[in-house]
Amino acid sequence: MPADRDSSFFAEARKRREQAQSAWSDIYKAATDDLKMCTGQQWSEQVLRMRQESNRPALTFNRLHTNVQLVANGVRQNAPAIKICPVSDGADEVSAKIQNGIIRFWNYQSQGDVARDTAVKYAAMCGIGFYRIRTDYCDDEGGFEQDCVVDRIDDPTTVHFDPFVRKFDFSDARWCFVESRMPWEDYKMEFPDADVQDWDAMREFKIPDWGDEKSVVVAEYWYVKSTQRKYVQLADG
């Protein structure tokens, strides 16, 4: 990638990341407060400190866990699943049945139920939950065949979608970030050819919350690239 294209790419990525963080910050802050409430941290730090200083008890009777489990168990009993229906030209029942079997195998092999249960549980606790479907190599022996893998996302606040989405399922999103924090040792092992100075070398690309002395944030970045096409309708239709 040429230097000017590389600069514009990172500049746009940074701008979009900042837009997403700004747009989702209030929602994610409220979600974090809800998670604390569900895990039993139901006293504010100020009130808790005041009660401790005055030697007064600060009891917590967490009744939210039961309600969360009711929602999660209801989804487990009626688990959502992907089903392929043969509706297009050339499709048939046999091929659809085979593909449905492959999808069930992928789901079983990657423990997709755990990923969906985690997303549902987070959604019940804080209103936000995600899981993802990606591809991975079938084995470590150097083959090129890949399978679909259903992955859980154990922290929904690390997902930052395009804030200008309009559809309920976010299918019209133009871009998305999924971030994770890892120790520097693991980062250097997983990305041995990465130049960790790229972001700090140029002032305009420096992101204060990108990392610290112990760990670094790794962001996966997906975006939709639009192209214009011309369609021509001939006289015969």
Side-chain angles (χ1 to χ4, degrees):
M1 182 181 292
D4 55 343
R5 290 182 58 189
D6 185 74
S7 300
S8 61
F9 173 82
F10 282 107
E12 183 180 53
R14 179 194 174 189
K15 178 181 178 181
R16 288 178 168 179
R17 183 173 182 263
E18 290 176 348
Q19 285 180 345
Q21 285 185 318
S22 176
W24 289 96
S25 60
D26 291 340
I27 297 175
Y28 281 179
K29 182 181 182 303
T32 302
D33 293 340
D34 291 341
L35 288 174
K36 291 180 179 178
M37 185 72 66
C38 288
T39 55
Q41 302 179 43
Q42 300 181 359
W43 291 89
S44 67
E45 294 182 3
Q46 180 181 1
V47 174
L48 183 60
R49 184 171 58 254
M50 292 173 57
R51 297 182 71 88
Q52 289 175 345
E53 291 175 352
S54 59
N55 293 323
R56 301 175 63 188
L59 304 179
T60 299
F61 300 95
N62 192 357
R63 300 181 180 180
L64 295 174
H65 179 73
T66 302
N67 296 323
V68 170
Q69 287 300 117
L70 285 175
V71 175
N73 290 337
V75 176
R76 290 192 187 100
Q77 292 177 356
N78 300 278
I82 300 174
K83 183 177 181 180
I84 296 179
C85 299
V87 295
S88 60
D89 295 337
D92 58 82
E93 292 285 348
V94 176
S95 61
K97 186 176 181 180
I98 294 174
Q99 292 175 357
N100 281 322
I102 295 174
I103 292 174
R104 286 195 298 270
F105 170 74
W106 284 339
N107 181 73
Y108 172 79
Q109 182 175 249
S110 57
Q111 296 182 327
D113 293 341
V114 176
R116 280 186 289 271
D117 290 347
T118 302
V120 169
K121 194 169 184 178
Y122 271 115
M125 289 191 294
C126 66
I128 305 170
F130 298 102
Y131 68 92
R132 55 189 279 177
I133 300 175
R134 61 178 179 83
T135 58
D136 197 5
Y137 291 102
C138 298
D139 54 57
D140 298 329
E141 301 300 326
F144 294 99
E145 294 185 358
Q146 298 186 39
D147 282 338
C148 285
V149 178
V150 184
D151 269 351
R152 76 187 189 103
I153 295 180
D154 54 7
D155 184 358
T157 61
T158 60
V159 180
H160 291 89
F161 269 97
D162 174 7
F164 299 102
V165 294
R166 292 293 179 267
K167 294 186 178 180
F168 181 77
D169 59 356
F170 288 14
S171 60
D172 59 336
R174 297 171 300 162
W175 41 268
C176 177
F177 292 90
V178 177
E179 302 174 6
S180 60
R181 183 175 290 272
M182 63 172 60
W184 278 108
E185 293 78 9
D186 296 345
Y187 173 82
K188 293 176 182 178
M189 184 180 300
E190 186 167 351
F191 306 101
D193 299 328
D195 185 358
V196 298
Q197 300 298 324
D198 283 347
W199 288 93
D200 293 334
M202 292 174 282
R203 184 179 179 85
E204 62 269 26
F205 291 153
K206 190 171 182 179
I207 300 178
D209 60 344
W210 199 249
D212 52 33
E213 294 79 7
K214 296 182 180 179
S215 61
V216 61
V217 174
V218 176
E220 297 176 81
Y221 172 43
W222 293 272
Y223 61 95
V224 176
K225 185 176 181 180
S226 301
T227 57
Q228 292 185 349
R229 294 182 178 179
K230 290 184 178 181
Y231 288 87
V232 178
Q233 185 175 15
L234 303 179
D236 59 357

